[in-house]
Each structure stands twice: as structure tokens, then as C-alpha cells.
Amino acid sequence: MCSSYCYLKLESLWLKLKKVVRWTPFIQNYTKPYPWIQLAGHSGGFISGKEGTVIKKSSEKEALCLQSLMSDVLRPYVPALKGLFVENEVTHIEMQDLLHGFSSSCFVMDCKMGIRTYLEEEVCKQGKARKDLYLKMISVDPSEPTDEENNTKSCTKSRYMIWREQLSSTSSLGFRIEGVKRGMNPPDTDFKKVSSAEDIGSLFAKFINYKRTLQEKYLQRLKAIRTTLECSEFFKKHEMIGSSLLFVHDETDTASIWMIDFGKTNLLDVGVSINHNSEWILGNREDGYLIGLDNIINIWSNMLL
């Protein structure tokens, strides 16, 4: 039986993906009374699914990445892909709700990984200067725009993206904190100027309420991810841009970390290889994912609680 809201088998769907909608995943649990949590990205791209799952407007890249990851050694560290369905000609991905099993007052942190979160083609393509990006820039640093940008009250996307990365810890440490949700408090996303390892270490310590037990659990998970990445075929073959690590724990000290958000993850061309641990030069496709992960591990290791 077929309708405008029909469930389709996973293995027959990959060529049917049409819409490209880039969202940073947020998680919902349908049996607990907490609100939707979104720490970064655009809002409004999710609908309810059955218990234990969240449904997201699909990106063809992300759907293909998740399909590939289901047979990779990284599978325990990413949201499980449950299937796809079509509603009003829009394809959605149904995936594991990563907060399922945690209490309603859990703590959530999104760390955006890599020494850049923009694609190389985004830098090469100047595009039209935009007033909204200029306004975002001056809201953080009114002295940053050039005379020309002040005259036109606009700046290009490539200019804004490069400046944004240099402002945070992305360029210097290979990751940045995108957002933190502490229990039932509103999300905090005011980390644009947090750039030093010391300041980030203080934020990590506050996030876990200075509990050594949580520090040890997060470190164990981070090191397991690091070891698994070294032998992952998926990781060897993909440029990881805009992906995040999602940290979650609750008051029972249950804790875990997942790799999320693969909407800008690209399969490398045949013959192209990267080590994820080198400086990015336009054209070399390096993403610095391991630079960021190693720095995160070092910061968590050096926290004195």
C-alpha cells in the first residue's frame, strides 16, 4: 500500500534522496518530559518518530555516510540508521535517539571537529557579499570589517567563514565548542571567542561538575574513538568537514560520546589520501580531525579535579 507518507526499505532508497538540507543533529526522547535540544545549526528540521529514534530532514551525503558507517568499525560511535521514509515528496532519515536511556535533566555538549568547518569549494567561490554576515561579524567584533565592508555593510561568505574559524579554537586547536546544555537550563552557545586550551579545560570541568568519574568515562570513550579511527576504512576515504562529537551524561554519571553530523562529509576522489593530522593548504583536502581529537584528549587528561 502506497501513500504520500509511506515507509520505504532502506536498501532501495539511496537513489531516491532529493533534498539536501544541512542540519546539526539534535536529539529527542519521546518518553521523557524534556524539550527539543538543538545546540547548533538551523532549527525546524525534525519530526517525531517512534520511541528511541529521531527523524531528520535528509541530506544525501549524510544518508550515504550513515549507510556506509553501519558496516564500518565506527558503527558503535555513530547514531544507528533505522531507515528512511518519504512524506510530501521530502525524504527523511530515521536514526537512533542518542539521549534515549539518559534522564530528562541530562547534560549535552557539541564540539565541532576539524581545523576548518567549510568546504574548499566554499572558499574558492566568492559569491555575493551579504549584509547578514556583516551584521554577525560586527556583533562579535565591530573593529573587524575592512573599510570597504563598512561602506557596503556586507561581506562575502568565504571571508566570514575564515574569520570565524580564526576567532575560535578551530584554527588553533582543531575543534571548538558549539553549544552546551546543562540539565533543564537553556542551551548556551556563547563560545565564539573561546580559543585557549586553558579556557576550554575550565568549560569541560564545569560541564561535568568537576566529577573525576565523568572525566575518566569521557576519556575512555575518546581514546576508544581515537583508536578505532586509525583502522576505519570510512575515515581513510572521507574528508570530515563540519562533523561534531556529542558528549552526553546525566546525574547518575552515565556518560557517552558519539560522532554526529555528516552533511558536509565528502568521499575523497580516487588516488587522493589525507591523514587528518596535517595543516590544511587549499587543495590538499586535509581536515585536521585528529588534530582536534588529540587536543580534546590532552585537555581532558590534564584537567585537575
Side-chain angles (χ1 to χ4, degrees):
M1 178 174 169
C2 190
S3 68
S4 62
Y5 191 97
C6 59
Y7 194 88
L8 303 178
K9 290 185 179 180
L10 177 61
E11 59 269 20
S12 66
L13 268 173
W14 307 111
L15 296 179
K16 297 182 181 293
L17 296 171
K18 299 177 181 178
K19 301 282 186 179
V20 177
V21 185
R22 295 189 178 95
W23 308 93
T24 298
F26 67 95
I27 317 302
Q28 181 188 19
N29 186 296
Y30 307 111
T31 61
K32 300 174 188 171
Y34 57 71
W36 293 81
I37 297 173
Q38 181 169 3
L39 298 181
H42 303 283
S43 61
F46 296 81
I47 61 176
S48 298
K50 62 179 179 290
E51 181 180 351
T53 67
V54 63
I55 298 172
K56 169 181 172 180
K57 288 184 179 180
S58 71
S59 154
E60 182 176 3
K61 283 184 181 179
E62 182 156 35
L64 292 172
C65 284
L66 287 172
Q67 182 195 29
S68 180
L69 283 162
M70 292 304 94
S71 59
D72 189 82
V73 292
L74 286 172
R75 180 170 182 169
Y77 306 106
V78 300
L81 180 61
K82 301 297 185 179
L84 306 172
F85 69 86
V86 175
E87 181 183 31
N88 298 328
E89 300 184 351
V90 177
T91 306
H92 298 71
I93 303 175
E94 182 181 12
M95 63 180 70
Q96 176 188 3
D97 171 9
L98 298 179
L99 295 193
H100 187 69
F102 290 90
S103 70
S104 60
S105 57
C106 61
F107 289 57
V108 184
M109 178 172 65
D110 181 314
C111 286
K112 188 69 68 178
M113 301 301 294
I115 52 177
R116 60 186 171 95
T117 60
Y118 47 81
L119 301 170
E120 290 193 347
E121 51 263 37
E122 291 180 288
V123 177
C124 296
K125 183 173 62 176
Q126 284 296 322
K128 184 179 179 181
R130 292 167 47 179
K131 295 185 183 297
D132 62 322
L133 297 180
Y134 171 83
L135 292 174
K136 286 184 179 181
M137 180 182 288
I138 62 174
S139 70
V140 177
D141 185 355
S143 67
E144 175 60 27
T146 63
D147 290 341
E148 180 181 354
E149 288 167 344
N150 280 325
N151 288 335
T152 62
K153 298 191 182 313
S154 62
C155 69
T156 63
K157 184 177 180 180
S158 60
R159 155 82 164 118
Y160 176 82
M161 289 187 300
I162 293 173
W163 165 77
R164 175 67 179 83
E165 308 292 52
Q166 293 172 343
L167 185 69
S168 70
S169 58
T170 291
S171 295
S172 58
L173 296 176
F175 76 97
R176 69 172 182 252
I177 299 176
E178 282 284 277
V180 174
K181 178 82 165 56
R182 299 179 179 89
M184 303 305 290
N185 296 315
D188 184 0
T189 59
D190 188 20
F191 303 105
K192 294 181 177 65
K193 291 187 176 181
V194 177
S195 58
S196 71
E198 293 76 14
D199 288 344
I200 291 172
S202 296
L203 288 169
F204 285 171
K206 182 179 179 181
F207 173 65
I208 61 173
N209 199 25
Y210 308 96
K211 290 185 176 181
R212 187 168 181 81
T213 301
L214 287 172
Q215 178 190 23
E216 292 172 350
K217 288 184 176 182
Y218 276 138
L219 262 176
Q220 182 179 14
R221 182 77 167 179
L222 285 166
K223 290 177 179 178
I225 292 173
R226 179 65 169 82
T227 299
T228 307
L229 286 171
E230 292 286 0
C231 53
S232 166
E233 289 299 316
F234 179 90
F235 193 58
K236 291 176 184 177
K237 296 176 181 179
H238 286 81
E239 174 190 18
M240 305 281 289
I241 302 298
S243 183
S244 289
L245 288 180
L246 189 74
F247 294 69
V248 184
H249 69 267
D250 61 22
E251 68 274 8
T252 69
D253 291 352
T254 301
S256 197
I257 306 171
W258 290 273
M259 298 171 63
I260 63 169
D261 201 350
F262 304 98
K264 296 175 77 172
T265 293
N266 285 326
L267 180 66
L268 295 168
D269 295 334
V270 176
V272 176
S273 63
I274 60 177
N275 58 31
H276 304 278
N277 205 18
S278 297
E279 178 185 0
W280 173 63
I281 300 172
L282 184 61
N284 72 1
R285 305 290 294 276
E286 290 290 351
D287 53 35
Y289 194 100
L290 291 181
I291 294 175
L293 183 54
D294 287 342
N295 279 319
I296 289 178
I297 291 173
N298 288 336
I299 293 171
W300 277 99
S301 299
N302 294 329
M303 284 164 40
L304 302 176
L305 303 179

